[in-house]
Amino acid sequence: MAATRAGAAELGFAEAAPAWRLRSERFPSKVGGRPAWLGEAGLPGPAELACALCGRPLAFVLQLYAPLPGRADAFHRALFLFCCRAPPCCAGLRVFRNQLPRKNDFYAYEPPSESPPTEMGESVCLRLKSGAHLCRVCGCLGPKTCSRCHKAHYCSKEHQTLDWRLGHKQACTQSEFEIVIETEDEITPEVVATDESEITGNMGEAPEEELESMAKHESREDKIFQKFKTKIAPEPEQILRYGRGVAPIWISGENIPQEKDIPDCPCGARRLFEFQVMPQLLNYLKADRLGRSVDWGVLAIFTCAESCRQGTGYTEEFVWKQDVTDTP
């Protein structure tokens, strides 16, 4: 994550990537799968990763690698977002921050190579040099494969069923994407000039009361939503907007937080806006099933202005959720 220009934002896009690029030692920004934790000390436990509303475990949504230039203690810095995906709740949200100096107990001082590692795969070898695959459960020859991912091999239907129950169901159905960052173009999209005759058209004979009523129909809500759409129109696939200290773009005029709504960090410093998650991310979370499901218009993440270090673990920050308001 590069330093953000004043008033500018960096845009995040989800792209497929090989698994090795999404490991902790690569300092990834990514969506889905499992967290690639930064520091290994003081990981959030079950209590921290439980929904504050229903108590069910939260699901990992994304992580963002966001080091702070000029801060030796935040040479490596990442934010981890979790949400509740358990119906009928689907509302709980929590975000955690972790940071490390360049010299630390977990990673090499020099940056990782951009080349794939020479040895890839699981810690237990499940493929022989001859090319034959082994069963994930017992290690015997595995001629059968998972029909969904085509990566897991089994010796029998019984062992496939057992592995599905033991966790392959979650691993198989989870999609994982790298978040690729690009700087937003400074050129403001041109507003298409509309011929005045298109506006008035054949309404020159319309009663004055009707024209006044039509003018009032364009409410503040309409204007904010239109501004949101215009802002993202040049890059409609963006799933994230990063800009520490810049203003977020809201999708609705309802439920916009005031300064008093954003709690200060426990260290005493105020929290400032750092990034927002866009509704386009829902497409990658498979959140389109019928009935109650996770949903949002904007998720705005606010973090400690001082990026404090409270011990060696993970510090919880603040998420503000804004839903989409139905406009007439």
Side-chain angles (χ1 to χ4, degrees), residues 151-164:
K151 295 179 181 179
H153 293 259
Y154 303 97
C155 64
S156 61
K157 183 178 180 180
E158 288 76 14
H159 276 189
Q160 181 177 2
T161 302
L162 176 61
D163 192 41
W164 186 258

Side-chain angles (χ1 to χ4, degrees), residues 15-281:
E15 293 188 3
W20 63 268
R21 287 184 56 85
L22 306 178
R23 296 175 180 171
S24 294
E25 64 270 18
R26 301 285 166 167
F27 310 112
S29 294
K30 73 185 194 77
V31 170
R34 298 180 176 91
W37 298 110
L38 182 60
E40 296 179 10
L43 293 178
E48 290 84 6
L49 293 177
C51 177
L53 300 175
C54 72
R56 299 284 295 277
L58 296 175
F60 173 68
V61 177
L62 64 78
Q63 67 187 75
L64 186 65
Y65 183 66
L68 297 182
R71 282 283 299 272
D73 63 332
F75 184 86
H76 298 298
R77 181 173 176 273
L79 297 157
F80 300 80
L81 178 64
F82 298 82
C83 77
C84 179
R85 299 194 67 175
C89 179
C90 295
L93 293 158
R94 302 185 85 163
V95 62
F96 298 87
R97 169 176 53 85
N98 184 246
Q99 59 198 52
L100 298 169
R102 184 171 185 177
K103 186 177 181 180
N104 59 77
D105 296 332
F106 311 115
Y107 304 104
Y109 187 82
E110 297 301 326
S113 169
E114 288 298 316
S115 302
T118 53
E119 293 184 7
M120 295 187 292
E122 303 185 49
S123 56
V124 177
C125 181
L126 293 176
R127 185 175 183 181
L128 302 179
K129 292 181 179 179
S130 64
H133 293 276
L134 303 180
C135 175
R136 278 170 53 92
V137 176
C138 67
C140 297
L141 285 176
K144 299 180 181 295
T145 60
C146 173
S147 61
R148 179 172 295 187
C149 68
H150 302 288
K151 295 179 181 179
H153 293 259
Y154 303 97
C155 64
S156 61
K157 183 178 180 180
E158 288 76 14
H159 276 189
Q160 181 177 2
T161 302
L162 176 61
D163 192 41
W164 186 258
R165 292 173 180 170
L166 290 176
H168 184 62
K169 177 180 179 179
Q170 286 73 30
C172 183
T173 55
Q174 284 178 340
S175 298
E176 201 171 16
F177 301 90
E178 183 176 17
I179 300 177
V180 178
I181 302 296
E182 298 179 9
T183 303
E184 185 174 36
D185 196 331
E186 291 182 290
I187 301 175
T188 304
E190 294 183 6
V191 177
V192 179
T194 306
D195 190 342
E196 188 175 349
S197 63
E198 293 180 7
I199 300 176
T200 57
N202 296 323
M203 296 191 303
E205 301 175 359
E208 184 177 346
E209 295 80 5
E210 183 179 341
L211 295 175
E212 187 175 337
S213 175
M214 294 177 65
K216 288 181 178 179
H217 181 70
E218 186 181 18
S219 65
R220 175 174 178 267
E221 184 70 24
D222 297 323
K223 292 179 180 178
I224 290 177
F225 184 60
Q226 289 301 323
K227 182 179 179 181
F228 180 88
K229 291 201 301 181
T230 300
K231 188 69 173 176
I232 70 172
E235 299 290 352
E237 298 301 316
Q238 59 185 275
I239 63 166
L240 179 149
R241 296 178 64 88
Y242 183 91
R244 193 165 189 261
V246 307
I249 58 171
W250 301 107
I251 199 169
S252 166
E254 301 293 329
N255 199 32
I256 294 178
Q258 303 300 312
E259 188 173 347
K260 62 181 177 59
D261 297 319
I262 310 300
D264 290 340
C265 177
C267 76
R270 68 183 181 88
R271 283 192 171 100
L272 50 76
F273 171 77
E274 183 150 354
F275 73 94
Q276 70 185 87
V277 180
M278 308 294 279
Q280 288 86 336
L281 179 62

